[in-house]
Amino acid sequence: MLGLAAQMLRYRKSAFIATFLALAAGVTVLTVCGMLVESGLRYNGEPQRYAGAFAVVAKQEFAIQGPEKFGERETTKVTLPERGGVPDSLVADVAAVRGVQRAVADRTIPLAAAAAPKVPVSGHGWGSAVLAPYELVSGTAPQAQGEVTVDQRLAAAGRLRPGGTTAIIVGGAVQQVRVSGVVRTRNGQGPQAALFFTDEQAARLYPRPGRVDAIGVLPAKGADRAAVSAAVKRIVERAGAKLYTGDERGLAEQPEAAAAKSFTVEAGGAFGGYAMLIIGFVVAATVGLSVRHRRRDFALLRAIAATPGQVRTLILGEVGILALLGAAAGIPIGLLAALWLRDEMVDRGFVPDTYTVNGGVLTSLAVTAAVTAVALLSAWIAARRTTRIRPTEALGEAAVDPALGGKVRAVSGLALLGVAFALIALTGRAGGQTAMGVAVAMLYTFVLAIALLAPWINRAAAVALAPILRTVFGDSGYLAAANLRANARGMVAVLTALVLSVGFGGTVWFLQDNLQRQTAVQSKEGTTAQHALVGAVGLPPRPPRRLAGSPACGPRPGYAAPRSSSRSWETR
Amino acid sequence: MSAPPPPEAVRLERVSKTYEGDQPVTALAEVDVRFLRGTMTAVMGPSGSGKSTLLHCAAGLDRPDSGRVVIGSTDLATLPEKRLTELRRDRIGFIFQAFNLVGALTVEQNILLPLRLSGRRPDTAWLAQVIGRVGLDHRLGHRPAELSGGQQQRVAIARALVTRPEVIFCDEPTGALDTQTAADVLALLRSVVDHFGQTVIMVTHDPVAASYANRVMVLADGRIVQDMPQPGVRRIAEELAMLDRRRRQQQPVPAREG
């Protein structure tokens, strides 16, 4: 039967182009979404400063409690690109675990080096140098409060040498420091150059007292690593933090990477879900249409020789071959598009530069399987209909177009329409995530209802539009209306596809729009200050006196901490 | 099958069929008829007389409301759809008015289609004989779209013959052909009966086509009103004309095509 199917495809190329294009385009879109998810899952940043640690403790997920609704409180977990979530009391707890040789706290201090303003730098305590590990190239480790050790990258860019002095800006103030030594690591270049203070100095400069960014775990020689990581995990998870091992250490080191990871996985998954639904409908529609157009062929086959099962196999074979061809065409395009998308996302700052498009085999297989399954399922449904074709239809001069549709179709369509309208009311009452969920459910119900009622809608549209079409387009308008009226059922696929694209496009677009507006409103309400003073490397502990009396500030300026750190992230 | 085959290829016993609708139409009313092996029968009648329904029921394409259809010694009423299809494929040949062939397949592939679908190997000697008889030796690699109407009907005849069926059913086989081509095709069908001992049942409204048959049956309102052995063109035409006149004198009956 497959040979016969292939021959049918070759002979009627033009008839299958629509189906092929739908399948190939679907595969392309899904491949892009799949690559986002797969790359995100495989992406862990690059462990550089923590490469020497066996495991790293960090806390990057923050739970945000929403308002209470229907007696339930919604909790949203957000991965923030901020550091400093781990309580410093945890350091001693981790160090006390059997098999742990040392637990090293790391504090990241935002700063800028005047000698090399273009190189992004972060400050750390010298104790954390062992986590990379960094080794001294020249000079010594920082010994006193005014001494720092710099890595080779910063040293080269700022022409720094042991014994020299240089200016750094930290905590909103300029400081003169003496360079005590230069260090290097074999781990390759991370996004930021490193500068080391003494541990005491680092703790003093660190903006979040009582907390640390991360704890590096160095196991004792000969310790059972699995047992150590299990024990440490138990302790840190009680404190709400997370243990990162292996490649995941990169996520602990670069919170941006963790944020990018969850962003790409979620975005890819969400888009993929929408795309899958649209593809399902469009593929089902085109496959159904192509089968319907060849009723006579199938009726002839049924009359002379083919069992219903053989006709079904033939249709499934045709669509299966088409789906594989579509995958063969769509996957390479999708992979290229994924690479392009990666560059665009890096340019726009959605993901850090270290984000790479990874894998592809898994995505390709999954997408091919998914699209083939959808295509075969819709072919099977369409084929079920054709096996009900009476063989005698082949004998007639012209295949009779079937009636509009059964009572079951009409009743279920009307019922779904009712449900959809009920959901509109519910959407208005609910709020937040619930409203989002109801809105999406409402969309699905509307689409299904329209798809089911499409024959009658087409007929009604034809009747209503006939005078207009005739006036505007003359005879061709008259013919178009007559054709739509007579062929109302055949045009179902067209109407459904249109409703889908418009419906989904509109919903996704307007939901985003509303969300954005709401975020802006919330952010405005959460900020009482008229002006905000921000600095990439921190602000001095007291507002500069020059601000006092300025028209923007009034006589007594003051700092107020923003109420929630998540707002600033959402408004980014 | 230990019992000797019955002398008739197809037997209908009190077969009735009514099409439901706003005004139910009785297409067949208790029709009793036997078609003998090695004969050619023409089934005639005006539009709506039930002649196509008779063909569909006798060939297992449609199921009667009541009565029995027996092909060889198989009762069709008890067969499920799949077995019925297999019976059509292996023991019945079909020739329709048009759209007989699958456009994607070559002439040879079209002829072999029933065998291919049943998974049987073609008998090459028989195949060569059939192709020689219909005169398509030099056209085997062509597609139906490259053939004339007469040639397409020859392919259909070859396809019907290739399984050595119990009976060949033809529904207006010359309806779409010009007079000369129609004569060639009818002569071919006749020779199939004479040389291979085939049984042919042909629905037609053309008295000339019917004159090739051994026997001509005329249906009206779902009943057999005439059953004539080799009546000749003139006699057939007269019978039909008379039937037509009688019908016009009566109340106009809701006509149904087929």
Side-chain angles (χ1 to χ4, degrees):
Chain A
M1 266 347 257
L2 271 183
L4 199 59
Q7 211 163 354
M8 291 274 204
L9 284 181
R10 264 209 309 278
Y11 182 67
R12 294 189 171 234
K13 285 190 204 84
S14 59
F16 289 106
I17 278 183
T19 316
F20 171 76
L21 284 181
L23 286 165
V27 167
T28 305
V29 173
L30 280 185
T31 304
V32 173
C33 297
M35 286 310 292
L36 267 181
V37 173
E38 193 181 351
S39 303
L41 288 177
R42 287 169 188 262
Y43 173 60
N44 286 313
E46 285 171 18
Q48 186 219 2
R49 283 194 306 102
Y50 297 159
F54 156 64
V56 182
V57 180
K59 184 181 178 187
Q60 286 154 341
E61 275 189 354
F62 290 77
I64 296 167
Q65 304 264 306
E68 207 173 282
K69 244 176 238 135
F70 305 124
E72 268 179 46
R73 192 176 282 278
E74 287 171 1
T75 306
T76 313
K77 273 196 174 172
V78 186
T79 305
L80 293 180
E82 293 170 352
R83 296 157 204 266
V86 185
D88 61 2
S89 59
L90 210 54
V91 180
D93 295 346
V94 172
V97 171
R98 239 182 95 171
V100 173
Q101 190 200 19
R102 279 179 69 193
V104 182
D106 183 36
R107 298 179 173 88
T108 303
I109 299 144
L111 58 82
K118 284 194 181 158
V119 179
V121 193
S122 61
H124 304 274
W126 175 248
S128 69
V130 69
L131 296 177
Y134 283 95
E135 56 195 44
L136 279 166
V137 183
S138 58
T140 61
Q143 313 279 337
Q145 190 180 329
E147 282 187 349
V148 298
T149 299
V150 297
D151 72 0
Q152 272 182 322
R153 185 167 154 206
L154 183 58
R159 306 194 178 184
L160 303 176
R161 274 192 204 153
T165 57
T166 184
I168 59 169
I169 307 163
V170 59
V174 180
Q175 281 189 19
Q176 291 293 328
V177 289
R178 198 178 82 84
V179 178
S180 68
V182 175
V183 290
R184 70 164 180 201
T185 176
R186 293 177 210 283
N187 301 336
Q189 203 178 43
Q192 287 187 314
L195 181 149
F196 293 96
F197 300 100
T198 60
D199 282 338
E200 298 76 39
Q201 174 77 347
R204 210 162 25 242
L205 289 172
Y206 187 63
R208 300 177 190 87
R211 304 198 162 255
V212 298
D213 285 349
I215 303 169
V217 181
L218 300 171
K221 259 193 197 129
D224 178 1
R225 295 189 163 216
V228 170
S229 79
V232 174
K233 197 168 179 176
R234 218 171 309 125
I235 290 177
V236 300
E237 278 180 358
R238 220 178 296 141
K242 201 178 157 191
L243 186 72
Y244 297 83
T245 54
D247 285 341
E248 286 184 350
R249 288 168 302 171
L251 293 179
E253 180 173 329
Q254 298 165 1
E256 312 81 47
K261 183 186 174 91
S262 72
F263 163 71
T264 52
V265 171
E266 279 165 22
F271 270 119
Y274 281 127
M276 194 67 210
L277 203 80
I278 296 185
I279 289 161
F281 268 99
V282 171
V283 166
T286 51
V287 166
L289 209 60
S290 88
V291 168
R292 184 180 292 273
H293 280 164
R294 295 187 306 136
R295 283 175 78 88
R296 191 194 295 283
D297 266 359
F298 297 131
L300 173 67
L301 280 173
R302 285 281 292 113
I304 59 166
T307 60
Q310 282 176 318
V311 171
R312 222 172 4 238
T313 315
L314 176 70
I315 295 173
L316 287 178
E318 284 176 3
V319 174
I321 293 172
L322 269 183
L324 293 181
L325 287 177
I331 283 174
I333 304 175
L335 291 178
L336 287 178
L339 289 174
W340 173 82
L341 186 68
R342 180 255 167 207
D343 291 346
E344 293 292 308
M345 288 199 304
V346 170
D347 279 356
R348 285 168 171 69
F350 282 109
V351 297
D353 204 24
T354 53
Y355 179 81
T356 46
V357 173
N358 244 323
V361 178
L362 211 64
T363 296
S364 307
L365 287 178
V367 167
T368 308
V371 171
T372 309
V374 166
L376 287 182
L377 186 71
S378 35
W380 182 72
I381 292 169
R384 241 169 29 108
R385 225 182 296 143
T386 59
T387 50
R388 264 186 268 138
I389 295 178
R390 285 183 311 145
T392 46
E393 276 186 36
L395 319 181
E397 180 64 36
V400 184
D401 210 55
L404 284 180
K407 264 184 206 142
V408 179
R409 184 171 188 153
V411 169
S412 46
L414 286 173
L416 276 173
L417 201 63
V419 172
F421 276 110
L423 284 177
I424 291 187
L426 196 59
T427 315
R429 298 244 179 95
Q433 295 286 325
T434 322
M436 275 285 272
V438 177
V440 172
M442 175 190 79
L443 175 69
Y444 291 162
T445 340
F446 260 121
V447 167
L448 277 175
I450 298 292
L452 285 172
L453 296 176
W456 292 277
I457 297 175
N458 279 345
R459 166 75 61 92
V463 172
L465 290 179
I468 306 170
L469 283 172
R470 194 157 36 181
T471 321
V472 179
F473 297 105
D475 291 343
S476 44
Y478 168 75
L479 285 175
N483 185 41
L484 181 59
R485 194 167 52 229
N487 204 6
R489 179 113 182 236
M491 302 296 276
V492 166
V494 181
L495 180 72
T496 313
L498 278 175
V499 167
L500 262 169
S501 20
V502 174
F504 270 114
T507 307
V508 173
W509 180 270
F510 290 123
L511 276 181
Q512 286 302 319
D513 207 43
N514 278 344
L515 218 58
Q516 210 166 19
R517 201 166 47 222
Q518 199 58 32
T519 313
V521 168
Q522 281 188 5
S523 151
K524 212 168 167 183
E525 284 173 353
T527 314
T528 47
Q530 216 165 7
H531 296 267
L533 199 60
V534 293
V537 293
L539 294 171
R542 279 170 202 290
R545 241 179 254 141
R546 262 180 297 156
L547 279 180
S550 71
C553 209
R556 274 188 302 151
Y559 288 150
R563 279 194 294 188
S564 160
S565 58
S566 68
R567 290 233 167 78
S568 62
W569 169 239
E570 280 176 2
T571 48
R572 252 167 56 125
Chain B
M1 288 204 288
S2 50
E8 69 269 359
V10 183
R11 191 170 82 234
L12 275 69
E13 292 175 6
R14 290 193 305 284
V15 169
S16 296
K17 176 92 183 168
T18 304
Y19 290 102
E20 299 300 331
D22 298 335
Q23 287 181 304
V25 178
T26 304
L28 291 178
E30 307 234 323
V31 171
D32 261 308
V33 63
R34 288 158 189 250
F35 299 97
L36 295 181
R37 286 179 192 282
T39 63
M40 182 169 178
T41 308
V43 180
M44 307 195 70
S47 289
S49 61
K51 59 184 191 297
S52 286
T53 307
L54 177 80
L55 182 95
H56 294 164
C57 288
L61 289 169
D62 211 345
R63 289 180 191 272
D65 296 336
S66 63
R68 255 163 42 111
V69 177
V70 182
I71 290 185
S73 47
T74 312
D75 186 348
L76 302 192
T78 55
L79 295 183
E81 181 56 36
K82 183 160 181 280
R83 292 289 317 282
L84 200 58
T85 306
E86 285 164 359
L87 177 121
R88 286 203 300 270
R89 182 167 71 199
D90 300 336
R91 292 169 61 190
I92 298 176
F94 285 101
I95 300 162
F96 306 127
Q97 179 173 357
F99 310 112
N100 262 305
L101 309 176
V102 179
L105 304 180
T106 63
V107 166
E108 189 174 15
Q109 287 168 331
N110 262 296
I111 293 173
L112 292 175
L113 188 59
L115 294 177
R116 183 175 179 173
L117 289 168
S118 63
R120 279 191 289 159
R121 296 204 151 277
D123 172 350
T124 42
W126 173 243
L127 181 66
Q129 210 180 336
V130 166
I131 291 170
R133 169 65 54 185
V134 299
L136 287 166
D137 319 59
H138 54 294
R139 296 276 177 176
L140 292 179
H142 288 59
R143 289 192 197 281
E146 299 163 324
L147 302 180
S148 70
Q151 284 170 329
Q152 290 188 24
Q153 289 308 70
R154 287 166 179 275
V155 178
I157 292 171
R159 185 192 59 208
L161 280 172
V162 80
T163 56
R164 297 180 202 260
E166 201 98 28
V167 52
I168 297 178
F169 287 99
C170 312
D171 193 359
E172 303 278 8
T174 57
L177 304 180
D178 63 72
T179 316
Q180 185 52 50
T181 317
D184 292 346
V185 168
L186 287 164
L188 178 60
L189 276 174
R190 182 72 239 174
S191 78
V192 163
V193 176
D194 295 340
H195 285 85
F196 298 145
Q198 270 294 342
T199 312
V200 173
I201 300 172
M202 171 173 67
V203 163
T204 182
H205 60 254
D206 176 10
V208 177
S211 71
Y212 285 79
N214 305 85
R215 174 185 176 198
V216 175
M217 277 166 41
V218 181
L219 263 77
D221 299 330
R223 289 170 215 281
I224 298 170
V225 292
Q226 278 288 349
D227 198 343
M228 309 169 279
Q230 286 182 311
V233 180
R234 183 181 295 268
R235 171 89 196 279
I236 300 168
E238 282 171 8
E239 280 295 331
L240 288 177
M242 214 161 74
L243 197 64
D244 202 34
R245 262 200 305 282
R246 224 179 296 151
R247 276 165 68 87
R248 272 171 213 231
Q249 285 159 7
Q250 292 169 0
Q251 291 280 81
V253 184
R256 193 196 143 85
E257 190 54 55

